[in-house]
Amino acid sequence: EEHTMVGGVFGAIAEQMVLNRISKEVLTINLPDAYGPTGTYLYLLDYYGLTGEKIAQKIESFMR
């Protein structure tokens, strides 16, 4: 997600998993909770691994 793990979609999903006692490994694809570089939108997507290709690579690696 184009947000940090804190306060983002992951947090909402993780909260529901805990409330419903669901114990599964979850792949997080989000921005780090830290200051980073400045640049164009496309540059930042690539830098943080949020392009379609890089997301697909992360998912493939996670599924192995």
Side-chain angles (χ1 to χ4, degrees):
E1 68 183 293
E2 295 175 24
H3 194 283
T4 64
M5 185 183 303
V6 178
V9 174
F10 171 79
I13 292 171
E15 181 179 336
Q16 288 303 309
M17 290 177 69
V18 169
L19 291 172
N20 291 288
R21 295 187 172 104
I22 298 170
S23 178
K24 297 286 180 186
E25 188 174 3
V26 178
L27 172 63
T28 60
I29 300 175
N30 52 270
L31 296 173
D33 189 26
Y35 290 105
T38 58
T40 67
Y41 177 71
L42 295 177
Y43 169 78
L44 293 172
L45 286 179
D46 184 62
Y47 180 85
Y48 287 113
L50 297 177
T51 62
E53 183 178 328
K54 289 185 176 181
I55 290 171
Q57 290 172 352
K58 290 177 184 181
I59 293 169
E60 287 176 358
S61 179
F62 179 77
M63 298 301 290
R64 289 187 192 134

